[in-house]
Amino acid sequence: MDSLSEKIKELRNEYSDSELLIEDLNKNPIMQFTNWLDSAIETKIYEPNAMVLATSFEGKPRSRYVLFKNIIEDKLIFYTHYESPKAQEILSNPNVSGIFYWAEIHRQVRFQGLAKKTNKKISDDYFATRPRGGQLSAWASNQSSVIDNREVITNKIEELEKNFSDNEIPRPEFWGGFEIQVNYWEFWQGRKNRTHDRFCYTQKPTGWEIERLSP
Ligand SMILES: Cc1cc2nc3c(=O)[nH]c(=O)nc-3n(C[C@H](O)[C@H](O)[C@H](O)COP(=O)(O)O)c2cc1C
């Protein structure tokens, strides 16, 4: 760890000095988010739609990455196995928190909200666009269950491939989307000497309130 500690000590990145002012922000946080995501995509960041999603299990936080896939009626959509730990956690406590970090453009977006299953049509439509390999692995994997070896999955996929033959693969009932209704957003722009610009959007009965936060 000693040499690693030395290497970590040397990790001292400075951020560019791109100023973020309240008047630069879109009044609608979804628009602000999509503007920033678009910049991240244009910058060719690898998987700019990867977000850490935190849920809670018996009062203890748990997090993992998922891929943000769409915004439908102002809700953030991702897809997963409906019997996975994350899905079970959401079903027992819909409060979630998520975060994106786009290192190359020195930006972070954090949010909090309430998650629930999307309607079946949203899940069906998305599942139909997945490559066949992804469709088969959705069927084959009982996500996060303990398995003896890799062959458990690869053999199952082979068997499914034979069974489905050339037919269209339907979405399994146990796999689909979640939608997150966000009620709090935070936008972080890295600045020189750690004097970062941060703004939060809080949902009020009158609309979104935007405030500057100390770095
Ligand atoms: C970049 C990245 C993206 C991921 N996207 C998804 C996803 O969209 N849906 C999903 O179920 N798992 C995704 N995973 C896997 C999850 O992080 C996690 O391992 C899995 O869903 C099991 O989580 P759980 O046990 O908390 O339910 C992704 C992992 C990485 C590293």
Side-chain angles (χ1 to χ4, degrees):
M1 181 69 195
D2 276 359
S3 77
L4 182 59
S5 303
E6 282 309 309
K7 287 184 193 166
I8 294 169
K9 254 189 228 161
E10 281 159 27
L11 294 176
R12 263 215 169 270
N13 289 332
E14 200 36 284
Y15 299 101
S16 71
D17 217 19
S18 312
E19 185 175 47
L20 181 65
L21 300 170
I22 200 156
E23 46 275 29
D24 299 331
L25 296 170
N26 197 298
K27 301 266 176 291
N28 178 342
I30 298 275
M31 295 299 296
Q32 183 59 38
F33 167 66
T34 52
N35 288 345
W36 274 24
L37 178 59
D38 192 37
S39 304
I41 293 170
E42 290 300 317
T43 311
K44 309 262 183 262
I45 289 171
Y46 191 73
E47 289 194 326
N49 59 332
M51 67 181 190
V52 175
L53 178 79
T55 50
S56 153
F57 177 65
E58 293 177 350
K60 294 181 193 138
R62 288 184 82 243
S63 55
R64 81 290 289 153
Y65 272 99
V66 292
L67 291 179
F68 156 76
K69 283 291 178 177
N70 202 357
I71 292 181
I72 299 176
E73 291 173 0
D74 282 355
K75 292 172 195 107
L76 308 192
I77 311 287
F78 72 93
Y79 297 90
T80 193
H81 194 296
Y82 280 151
E83 287 155 20
S84 66
K86 79 180 89 43
Q88 295 304 311
E89 287 156 19
I90 291 170
L91 296 177
S92 67
N93 178 354
N95 286 285
V96 297
S97 173
I99 194 156
F100 294 82
Y101 180 48
W102 301 308
E104 293 84 343
I105 52 173
H106 311 160
R107 285 175 175 173
Q108 168 185 261
V109 176
R110 175 160 79 163
F111 63 83
Q112 288 162 216
L114 294 172
K116 65 173 189 180
K117 283 184 184 177
T118 60
N119 66 43
K120 291 186 180 193
K121 184 173 175 349
I122 291 177
S123 296
D124 288 341
D125 288 352
Y126 173 71
F127 191 79
T129 69
R130 270 168 80 97
R132 213 168 161 84
Q135 293 178 332
L136 289 169
S137 77
W139 273 98
S141 167
N142 182 11
Q143 200 176 46
S144 297
S145 64
V146 175
I147 49 175
D148 286 338
N149 50 49
R150 192 175 165 80
E151 284 64 48
V152 171
I153 297 297
T154 50
N155 292 343
K156 214 165 173 185
I157 289 180
E158 246 175 58
E159 191 190 314
L160 285 159
E161 251 171 341
K162 273 189 216 135
N163 291 347
F164 284 119
S165 179
D166 287 337
N167 300 323
E168 204 175 289
I169 303 176
R171 175 181 64 87
E173 276 292 316
F174 56 76
W175 191 99
F178 276 97
E179 55 183 39
I180 306 171
Q181 174 88 61
V182 177
N183 49 41
Y184 176 84
W185 288 92
E186 206 182 291
F187 294 83
W188 181 100
Q189 174 75 61
R191 299 285 308 268
K192 281 219 167 84
N193 301 319
R194 307 299 193 249
T195 58
H196 316 303
D197 286 327
R198 290 176 62 201
F199 291 94
C200 69
Y201 291 66
T202 314
Q203 202 162 33
K204 301 278 160 164
T206 48
W208 290 99
E209 181 181 80
I210 308 179
E211 292 165 301
R212 182 182 272 275
L213 301 173
S214 171

